[in-house]
């Protein structure tokens, strides 16, 4: 019997979790067509940075995906920094990095896509549903709990947790390049939309549902209603 290829192994893991190619690709931050080609052995094993993205999309560890690829991940010369999450109360045993045992610290942290950094995951009762307006000079990373039910076409379900960055680079719009971004479209909550700058310098917001009309904002309105950019999505953390 022929040994399973790298792509076969990824497909087996994905199917065991009941995920679609589109969903894995969305969580990994890569295109669905590219990921499909990897699963179908039409691409070579990706470089380490992409392997880490795929591990995030499949919700498996970096160690596991490197083993599947027959690679040994290079160790970082310095300890991985931990991003501070503003506005959240952390469990008592993770308040101080100096007191935190290594095993406990790892259990309460998750990685960010395309980064060696890690993030404390929040208690379910301390996740934001509304974020403050975007300020370019104040770079923060916050958790946002999704309350919308109309984002399924974007691969986002109600109660998913989104990591929102206010970093200028993350929030920069590139023409014809869509991004997931968080907006204060109402005063009640912050919501996520697929965001695209059009050729006439307007910003189009959409849920991905063909039955819902997109919302168009001027650049001034975009900056006024922006809360930040989605840099990661997580599900079933608790």
């Amino acid at each position: 019997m022929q040994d399973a290829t790298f792509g076969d192994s990824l497909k087996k893991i994905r199917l065991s979790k009941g995920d679609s190619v589109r969903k894995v690709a969305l969580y990994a931050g890569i295109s669905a067509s590219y990921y499909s080609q990897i699963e179908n052995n039409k691409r070579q094993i990706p470089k380490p940075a992409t392997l880490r993205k795929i591990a995030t999309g499949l919700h498996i560890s970096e160690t596991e995906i490197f083993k599947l690829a027959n690679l040994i991940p290079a160790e970082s010369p310095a300890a991985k920094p931990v991003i501070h999450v503003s506005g959240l109360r952390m469990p008592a045993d993770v308040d101080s990095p100096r007191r935190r045992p290594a095993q406990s610290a790892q259990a309460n942290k998750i990685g960010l896509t395309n980064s060696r950094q890690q993030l404390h995951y929040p208690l379910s009762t301390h996740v934001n549903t509304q974020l403050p307006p975007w300020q370019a000079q104040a770079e923060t990373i916050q958790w946002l709990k999704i309350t919308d039910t109309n984002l399924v076409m974007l691969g986002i379900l109600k109660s998913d947790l989104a990591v929102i960055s206010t970093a200028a680079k993350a929030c920069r719009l590139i023409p014809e390049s869509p991004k997931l971004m968080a907006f204060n479209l109402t005063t009640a909550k912050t919501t996520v939309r697929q965001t695209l700058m059009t050729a006439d310098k307007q910003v189009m917001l959409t849920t991905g549902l063909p039955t819902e009309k997109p919302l168009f904002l001027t650049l001034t309105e975009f900056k006024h209603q922006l809360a930040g950019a989605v840099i990661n999505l997580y599900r079933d953390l608790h």
Side-chain angles (χ1 to χ4, degrees):
M1 184 176 179
Q2 188 177 8
D3 292 338
T5 64
F6 177 70
D8 294 336
S9 299
L10 295 186
K11 186 174 184 178
K12 183 178 180 181
I13 292 171
R14 176 178 63 79
L15 293 177
S16 71
K17 296 175 180 290
D19 292 338
S20 66
V21 167
R22 176 180 170 81
K23 177 181 171 183
V24 171
L26 176 67
Y27 276 56
I30 59 179
S31 73
S33 61
Y34 174 64
Y35 178 73
S36 178
Q37 289 174 349
I38 295 173
E39 270 200 4
N40 290 297
N41 304 301
K42 295 180 179 179
R43 291 266 188 170
Q44 295 181 342
I45 292 176
K47 58 187 179 181
T50 305
L51 288 175
R52 293 187 179 99
K53 291 183 180 182
I54 295 173
T56 298
L58 289 171
H59 297 290
I60 61 176
S61 68
E62 289 184 8
T63 301
E64 184 174 353
I65 199 163
F66 276 102
K67 284 182 178 179
L68 292 175
N70 291 320
L71 295 174
I72 300 176
E75 292 295 330
S76 175
K80 293 181 181 179
V82 178
I83 295 177
H84 173 69
V85 185
S86 60
L88 295 175
R89 180 173 67 82
M90 297 303 166
D93 65 339
V94 298
D95 281 342
S96 171
R98 296 176 184 174
R99 298 197 310 263
R100 187 172 60 238
Q103 186 175 1
S104 174
Q106 188 63 32
N108 288 283
K109 292 188 291 183
I110 51 179
L112 293 175
T113 298
N114 200 27
S115 174
R116 300 291 293 185
Q117 295 177 320
Q118 292 188 315
L119 183 70
H120 284 299
Y121 67 75
L123 297 173
S124 59
T125 55
H126 292 274
V127 182
N128 300 297
T129 55
Q130 186 174 13
L131 300 178
W134 178 65
Q135 297 181 25
Q137 68 275 18
E139 293 188 5
T140 61
I141 291 183
Q142 301 187 77
W143 287 97
L144 176 68
K145 186 172 184 178
I146 303 298
T147 57
D148 292 283
T149 59
N150 58 349
L151 303 176
V152 64
M153 294 298 293
L154 301 179
I156 305 174
L157 303 180
K158 184 178 180 180
S159 295
D160 281 358
L161 298 179
V163 182
I164 309 298
S165 171
T166 63
K169 182 178 180 180
C171 296
R172 186 180 301 122
L173 282 181
I174 301 174
E176 307 304 325
S177 180
K179 279 187 177 181
L180 285 177
M181 307 191 84
F183 294 91
N184 293 314
L185 299 178
T186 69
T187 57
K189 66 178 183 178
T190 301
T191 190
V192 170
R193 293 289 185 268
Q194 183 83 286
T195 309
L196 180 69
M197 181 184 289
T198 63
D200 58 357
K201 300 297 183 180
Q202 289 194 83
V203 181
M204 182 177 71
L205 311 184
T206 177
T207 63
L209 288 175
T211 54
E212 290 194 19
K213 292 184 178 180
L215 174 66
F216 289 90
L217 303 177
T218 65
L219 287 176
T220 300
E221 291 170 332
F222 162 76
K223 292 179 180 179
H224 178 71
Q225 295 182 271
L226 179 66
V230 178
I231 59 172
N232 275 86
L233 286 163
Y234 294 95
R235 187 169 299 161
D236 299 326
L237 287 183
H238 303 282

